[in-house]
Amino acid sequence: DTGVSQDPRHKITKRGQNVTFRCDPISEHNRLYWYRQTLGQGPEFLTYFQNEAQLEKSRLLSDRFSAERPKGSFSTLEIQRTEQGDSAMYLCASSRPDSMAFFGQGTRLTVV
Amino acid sequence: KQEVTQIPAALSVPEGENLVLNCSFTDSAIYNLQWFRQDPGKGLTSLLLIQSSQREQTSGRLNASLDKSSGRSTLYIAASQPGDSATYLCAVRIEGSNYKLTFGKGTLLTVNP
């Protein structure tokens, strides 16, 4: 059990570019979540996967955002045509049903 | 809509002091409550999970209590150490949404040597 792994840890991109983040959950955790955190705030829910199925997307997730979890293993979060307002920490978490959620170290996105 | 509030927003204590962090939530229909620790620029470290049917959970110097009916939880830290300095976040999972966590803004704890 190596914990939740996220890559990259930091990403600086120009406005209008596309970015993709990767999350590797704890093995055998069938639940995977993405959250976004801005400075001084708690994390906000973005989306949830149970195995490979994306079961809920927050209204925060505009149509420029897409997430996938092929084969129910790792997940990717893509942001198209990035905007300065997308600058935040993107956190991935995983869990078993009814148990504690474990978070990764996050990807810090800066849009310049 | 569930709202989670953490008081105080910041707390500074001398090393060795016992302290309590507070978390309140507006909708008592919760499935469980979880406490996390976050170091600057880092992800979240899971500390304790309390199911709605439980009153408290303990891990080492940490003790978390839950009063579901009054919408409150406390995190008690005994014999604080400088290494405990971090932001502490509480999050609730509401009934009917057994996967989404709603977070407070956190309490920034500083333990001075």
Side-chain angles (χ1 to χ4, degrees):
Chain A
D1 185 345
T2 58
V4 179
S5 177
Q6 292 189 245
D7 184 70
R9 293 290 308 279
H10 303 276
K11 178 71 177 179
I12 300 174
T13 190
K14 292 183 179 180
R15 189 175 55 184
Q17 297 293 306
N18 299 342
V19 294
T20 300
F21 311 141
R22 177 181 171 120
C23 171
D24 287 273
I26 294 171
S27 58
E28 299 177 358
H29 279 191
N30 67 335
R31 296 184 172 196
L32 186 145
Y33 322 80
W34 286 97
Y35 286 79
R36 180 171 68 187
Q37 185 179 28
T38 53
L39 199 62
Q41 303 295 314
E44 294 177 292
F45 172 81
L46 291 180
T47 191
Y48 160 66
F49 288 87
Q50 184 167 313
N51 299 311
E52 67 276 7
Q54 186 175 20
L55 296 186
E56 185 172 340
K57 292 173 59 174
S58 164
R59 294 174 187 174
L60 293 174
L61 223 60
S62 75
D63 56 6
R64 295 185 297 106
F65 289 71
S66 63
E68 296 181 341
R69 191 184 183 196
K71 301 180 182 179
S73 56
F74 71 92
S75 175
T76 58
L77 178 67
E78 180 183 16
I79 309 174
Q80 296 181 328
R81 304 181 304 280
T82 52
E83 302 172 355
Q84 287 190 324
D86 296 332
S87 295
M89 174 79 88
Y90 290 83
L91 295 161
C92 176
S94 70
S95 76
R96 293 189 180 94
D98 301 335
S99 65
M100 189 178 287
F102 292 88
F103 281 75
Q105 289 297 299
T107 294
R108 168 75 63 189
L109 173 66
T110 302
V111 181
V112 298
Chain B
K1 177 186 174 185
Q2 177 75 267
E3 292 184 359
V4 179
T5 303
Q6 292 188 246
I7 295 173
L11 180 64
S12 181
V13 300
E15 182 177 3
E17 192 162 298
N18 302 326
L19 60 99
V20 173
L21 306 181
N22 297 293
C23 171
S24 62
F25 44 95
T26 53
D27 187 344
S28 62
I30 65 167
Y31 193 75
N32 59 40
L33 182 145
Q34 197 165 348
W35 282 93
F36 297 87
R37 167 189 173 134
Q38 186 172 33
D39 293 293
K42 306 284 184 160
L44 278 62
T45 300
S46 302
L47 297 175
L48 291 163
L49 171 71
I50 310 178
Q51 301 290 356
S52 61
S53 58
Q54 297 175 319
R55 296 284 293 182
E56 64 179 276
Q57 282 287 334
T58 298
S59 176
R61 294 182 295 107
L62 305 180
N63 176 277
S65 68
L66 174 64
D67 185 341
K68 184 180 168 183
S69 61
S70 68
R72 293 181 182 181
S73 176
T74 61
L75 180 66
Y76 174 83
I77 302 177
S80 58
Q81 303 170 358
D84 294 330
S85 297
T87 296
Y88 290 81
L89 295 152
C90 75
V92 298
R93 180 171 291 173
I94 64 173
E95 290 180 0
S97 176
N98 64 350
Y99 48 82
K100 185 191 311 184
L101 291 173
T102 301
F103 284 83
K105 293 183 179 181
T107 293
L108 176 61
L109 173 65
T110 303
V111 181
N112 301 300

